[in-house]
Amino acid sequence: MKLVVIVPLLLLLEVSGYAECRCFCQVTGDLDDCTCDVETIDRFNNDQLFPKLQSLLESDYFRFYKVNLNKPCPFWTASSECGLRDCAVQPCSPVSLTLIYQLSALLFVPSAETREALLDWNKYDDEAERFCVVDDEESPDSQYVDLLLNPERFTGYKGPEAWQIWNSIYEENCFKPYTIKRPLNPISFQSSPGSEARTFYSWLEGQCVEKRAFFRLVSGLHASINIHLSARYLLDDRWFQKKWGHNVSEFRQRFDSGLTAGEGPKRLRNLYFLYLIELRALAKVLPFFQQSSFQLYTGRPEEDRKHKEQLVDILESFPLHFDEASLFAGDEKEAAKLKEDIRLAFLNISRIMDCVGCFKCRLWGKLQTQGLGTALKILFSERQLEALPKSSNQRPSFQLSRQEIVSLFNAFGRISTSVRELKNFRVLLAEEQ
């Protein structure tokens, strides 16, 4: 089994004329396992990809996501923070549900002779290739949510319970021994400045490339979420008016090198690593979406054709060409075990999302982990993608459900937004100097 990844990357983030700025803007250095430069990524994302992707995600097919927010935490007794007003999730209205039932009808357009086979395909579920827990869509607790009406932003959910989520992810699911501490909570840096960080990264560099890559994906996802919360922070909370916007102080606390004992810049490197990995997965899955039988089905043929063309156009426009290296290519048994260990670790992380006390945070956490899990599924399915049938009468060995497609593109949309927001924070930080 081979996994396509991206090999060594030089990242350069700078704000010219402000050499004394301590934050991520001045970070330089190598990032293992990727190759590209930040200026190229920023230019491609901010000027070309971001506007097109946001337009696609506003379409009816991508804006509705079915999720069960009432599943109990499987690991510990979790108290709910739903008393916070901004933690609540607004479910879809009856009018929206009428549209959604159309959306859920099918992914392919069947001919009369293939309808029965296609119904069987929709039931196909290969547990061995699943990287995340999928909510039971038939459960009465599962409900459709309009993502545009429930944006990801700071809700007030913080403190020990929030940190318990991330601590559990890093401590139990990143192949790390308990004797090696992972610096995480910004407050902890005041008591142990730098020592734990140095020990942790010294340990990490001694690991195989697969385990390093897994940690960087998780760290990049964490960084992306923190950027969203800092960019859509509740600045003014009055009964008659709420104001959301950029909180530079919050951003500094999470990413400034001096305030995080050097940890913050590494988090941002990992964000770019995650961006490139998901970009690679989207490039790999293009043939699946190019199939003539595939539609972004909403029951409105003209719009469906337009949005499929828009999606394919986005995927075909990726200008980044990566040098590829093979992972899991050593001893066959050891490689298979390592791949399975990584799959199970990420599966476990997706279960932890049901322990998040804030419903809105749980919604976006589940969507983004499912999106990343779908990207991993794509990267581990290279052979199946290469063997996609030419005829719609043949059953493909590789499939994506509507939930996987919606989560894949929305998760990448969140990462694309994070990269775009870094540009905004560079400007704001420069203005402070």
Side-chain angles (χ1 to χ4, degrees), residues 157-177:
Y157 178 66
K158 58 183 179 180
E161 184 179 342
W163 285 113
Q164 184 180 15
I165 300 296
W166 288 108
N167 282 326
S168 178
I169 289 173
Y170 285 110
E171 291 297 318
E172 301 173 16
N173 298 282
C174 285
F175 307 100
K176 183 183 67 57

Side-chain angles (χ1 to χ4, degrees), residues 23-34:
C23 70
F24 76 96
C25 311
Q26 294 299 314
V27 168
T28 61
D30 294 329
L31 173 65
D32 291 339
D33 313 316
C34 283

Side-chain angles (χ1 to χ4, degrees), residues 262-274:
E263 170 77 8
K266 293 182 175 66
R267 296 171 183 169
L268 291 166
R269 293 191 184 101
N270 293 334
L271 167 68
Y272 278 91
F273 177 82
L274 173 63

